[in-house]
Amino acid sequence: MTAQILNGLIVGSMYALVAIGFTLVLGVLDRLNFAHTEVFMFGAFAGLVAIDAGGIWWLALPFVFVVGGLFGMAVEFISFRRFEGDARITAALSSLAVGLVLIDLTQKVWGTEPVGMTIPGYVTTAGFELFGMRVVYVQLLILGVTLALMASLHLLVSRTRMGRNIRAVADSPAAASLLGIDVRRVTQDVFFVSSALAGVAGLLLAFRTGFANTDVGLTFGLKAIAIMAIGGMGDLRGAVVGGLLIGVLEALTFQFGVGKLGELVVWVTMILVLFVRPEGLFGGGVHVKDVRA
Amino acid sequence: MIQDYLFFTGINILLAWSVYVVLLTGNLSFAQGAFMAIGCYAAGIMTTRYGVPLAVAVPAAMLLSSAAAVLVGFPALRVRGIYLILVTVGVTFCVRIALENVAYTGGVEGLKGMSGTRLWHLGAAIAAVGLLLFLLSRSPLQRILDAVREDDRVAASLGVNLTYVKLLAFGAGAAIAGLAGALYGHYLIFVRPDNFDILVSIFVVLYVILGGVNNMWGPLLGATVMTLLPEFIRALQDWRPTMFGVAIVVMLLLRPEGLLKFRQPSARWSGHAGR
Amino acid sequence: MPVADREEPPVLRVEALAKQFDGLRAVDGVSFDVARGEIVGIIGPNGAGKTVLINLISGFYPATSGSVHLAGEDVTSLPLHEIGRRGIARTFQNIRLFRRMTVLENVLIADQRHARRPARAFFAFGRQRTEIARAARYLELMGLAARADRLAGTLPYGEARRLEIARALATEPKLLMLDEPAAGMNEEETAELVQDVRRARAAVDAIVLIEHDMSLIQALSDRVVAMDYGRVMAAGTPAEVLADPNVQRAYLGEEGGP
């Protein structure tokens, strides 16, 4: 049981990392970036390149952070920059198309089958006993990296000048621009950060499973979109808690032997949340305020 | 072979129209593949297990898809458009996982033994849906839907119940997708849950975007071109998703309203005035 | 002159209406009545809470507290479309037309026979003669008949404002609210607007007019409510309100300010 919960927290922390990216772009810029899930997917393959190039395996993490971020900026340039205001849906669709292209090109290079990733055994299999439960080092690595990234993001948003600009744009892009804030620059920053997190999450998932897989964007990655809604659209804290919650719930349902039906948990939860509390877990979702349809 | 091309083109036209109807109120649905699956399985189970005639099973399946849509659409459409996108993605996953894991529907193996769809049935279905859409475009309902898409809050302040109108469109779209599904299953004889992958839903949405969303002919054009083109140009087949994705991105930049972007006013001051 | 009938409730009664945004109390306990036949002007410096007030009355924002009664009926927490159906129609400071639809269609959408029964509206396909005839009244009232088949997004500013009024009137409302209708208009257009509003007056029970332009307020309103910092600063006849020292200070302060 505790082992299941630990497992759930680990999967959940990766969900959270992807959901944070979704909710950051939505909360600050009011944009839905569908290419996000595929940047997440590509994170594993970028890591593969870094590791195969003979570098030190853990250097793949910062490498993927940067590559993911650059992909995010590219997506912003291709799919979002030209569309403003009412063209929100158009931009979302354009990013969806970019995502499809990214999947197809990745499959052209690496094939459609999962590709094995070589990481030292002392990370992936070695571990220790804790309260009668086996903990593998890779689990600690995943928890450590995600926690560190979330903490840094929190500091970035709450304590830095860049964070202050981000909050100003989230409040009102027009007002921010009047205050002399370079909205385009902030937009790029937000895309960079959100996609960088997604890329790292993709690599961490590959560390855990041992494979880079072109399917994960549309399966694992898309769940993050539901988690964003559960936590409240645009609510960072909600994305973290929602991710962990869904991770644990999924792990527990698998435990109870409902098999693949456990995959339903996240979607059913999302629909229930929409019914009962559309503003999300903490009511911090900025996008339902004052909406009375 | 040529018959199969025509058949898949026809199914895609129906699906594209089902997306179009939902999009009339400004909402994107990524669940049209799932509603197609519901229609397909519902009709298939009725005809193969209970001996219901196809002519009865098809409308029953349409009703069922539509009811499912209204049920899941309600909580989402009450709040904000973006929630419908999320809910429909969720529905697509739920339907697929449910079909794969419930023994009654045949599990991963799928459902077999349906038959009876002739090509002309599909032709008749397209003609019927097309006629309804044409009449719609000349009716007051069309401009109510368009107004909701343009500025839903203003439309509401003029007395339009947004939740109701959006549900109406979503339910109608699901019925059309259910129709496509019922005909599809009884043509293929054998279907599996992965025939209704989320990619099906995504591609159909993109057909509509490519063709244009301001009139009923855009989706028809988009679906026809995107189904037939790769069949006849070999080079396109291998690079289909990339070519398609790039085409969408480029078109959205150059012509964001789609290939056919004209809109027919729902009423005219002077019956013979030009456009 | 307003008819003071003891039996009849006022067209609009606003009581202690308030709206709290995060730290800010944008409307802070506003009360006033609008009687049948009246045009009530609402004035005040930028940020006084005038537009928020109109958004509260028309249901675009939910109120934090207080109440709105329309002809004696509580409409405070009704959904937006119900408020529209009960008879409050409005225009917008930043014109909100259905830009990609024709002028005629913009007015037709407000036709309550269809707006309230969308499913049935499908079966009214065809020539729609009666609908067009009804819409024609309002287009002609606002002098837009010659523009009927143009796209609303291509109208010049003054005509776009008039179309918004025509669209609001086509819902056959009890109360019409105009949010800064003269904003961005030159003197000639403003003079035309005065005539338009006078004609609109005959079609509704009462009008609420938010405006910066004092000449417009003086020409049209029977009574004026002056707001500042979300509160009512003064109320009465235009002459009384404009003579009020607080009002003068608020306006002079604004002009003298940065």
Side-chain angles (χ1 to χ4, degrees), chain B residues 3-157:
Chain B
Q3 197 185 347
D4 284 352
Y5 291 156
L6 285 177
F7 184 80
F8 291 120
T9 307
I11 290 291
N12 281 337
I13 289 173
L14 283 180
L15 284 176
W17 272 341
S18 82
V19 170
Y20 164 73
V21 170
V22 183
L23 204 56
L24 281 177
T25 57
N27 285 302
L28 266 184
S29 167
F30 287 108
Q32 298 316 101
F35 294 131
M36 181 187 178
I38 292 174
C40 175
Y41 272 77
I45 288 171
M46 280 187 258
T47 56
T48 58
R49 301 218 183 125
Y50 301 100
V52 177
L54 190 59
V56 178
V58 169
M62 289 170 70
L63 265 179
L64 213 72
S65 307
S66 191
V70 169
L71 203 68
V72 297
F74 178 71
L77 290 171
R78 226 172 20 140
V79 249
R80 191 173 177 251
I82 190 168
Y83 287 91
L84 191 75
I85 296 180
L86 308 193
V87 166
T88 54
V89 170
V91 165
T92 300
F93 277 101
C94 290
V95 166
R96 164 106 188 255
I97 294 165
L99 290 178
E100 279 178 353
N101 291 281
V102 175
Y104 184 72
T105 59
V108 195
E109 298 299 306
L111 195 66
K112 28 188 142 342
M114 299 83 79
S115 65
T117 303
R118 301 275 165 275
L119 198 57
W120 72 264
H121 294 157
L122 181 62
I126 292 174
V129 174
L131 177 67
L132 288 175
L133 288 178
F134 180 75
L135 293 178
L136 172 70
S137 73
R138 299 299 167 93
S139 81
L141 178 57
Q142 173 79 44
R143 60 179 169 259
I144 292 172
L145 296 170
D146 287 343
V148 169
R149 181 169 71 175
E150 289 255 310
D151 191 333
D152 58 350
R153 306 267 285 153
V154 171
S157 80

Side-chain angles (χ1 to χ4, degrees), chain A residues 25 29 31-33 69-88 90-92 94-95 98 182-192, chain B residues 249 252-253:
Chain A
V25 171
L29 308 168
R31 294 285 188 277
L32 194 55
N33 176 14
L70 292 177
F71 267 68
M73 287 170 79
V75 169
E76 189 271 332
F77 181 75
I78 296 168
S79 297
F80 290 88
R81 184 162 298 181
R82 289 278 297 274
F83 305 110
E84 291 182 347
D86 289 343
R88 242 179 263 122
T90 313
S94 175
S95 70
V98 170
D182 184 346
V183 176
R184 173 171 292 180
R185 178 71 201 280
V186 172
T187 305
Q188 287 176 330
D189 291 346
V190 167
F191 268 91
F192 183 93
Chain B
V249 169
L252 286 178
L253 287 172

Side-chain angles (χ1 to χ4, degrees), chain A residues 26 30 78 82-83 89-90 93 100 104 108 218 229 233 260 263-264 267 270 274-275 278 287-288 292-293, chain B residues 26 75 78 80 82-83 85-87 89-90 93-94 97 101 153 202 206 209 238 241-242 245 249 252-253:
Chain A
L26 192 88
D30 202 13
I78 296 168
R82 289 278 297 274
F83 305 110
I89 286 191
T90 313
L93 287 167
L100 287 181
D104 195 38
K108 286 283 180 301
L218 288 176
M233 306 244 185
K260 284 213 73 186
E263 295 278 312
L264 290 177
W267 301 107
M270 179 188 80
L274 287 187
F275 248 120
H287 287 284
V288 284
R292 188 161 65 152
Chain B
R78 226 172 20 140
R80 191 173 177 251
I82 190 168
Y83 287 91
I85 296 180
L86 308 193
V87 166
V89 170
F93 277 101
C94 290
I97 294 165
N101 291 281
R153 306 267 285 153
I202 292 177
L206 294 180
I209 301 304
D238 291 337
T242 298
V249 169
L252 286 178
L253 287 172

Side-chain angles (χ1 to χ4, degrees), chain A residues 1-9 130-134 247-257:
Chain A
M1 187 74 170
T2 40
Q4 285 301 329
I5 292 180
L6 176 69
N7 244 328
L9 286 175
L130 183 74
F131 306 125
M133 152 176 94
R134 177 150 182 83
V248 171
L249 277 180
E250 274 190 357
L252 291 180
T253 44
F254 281 125
Q255 171 92 336
F256 291 132

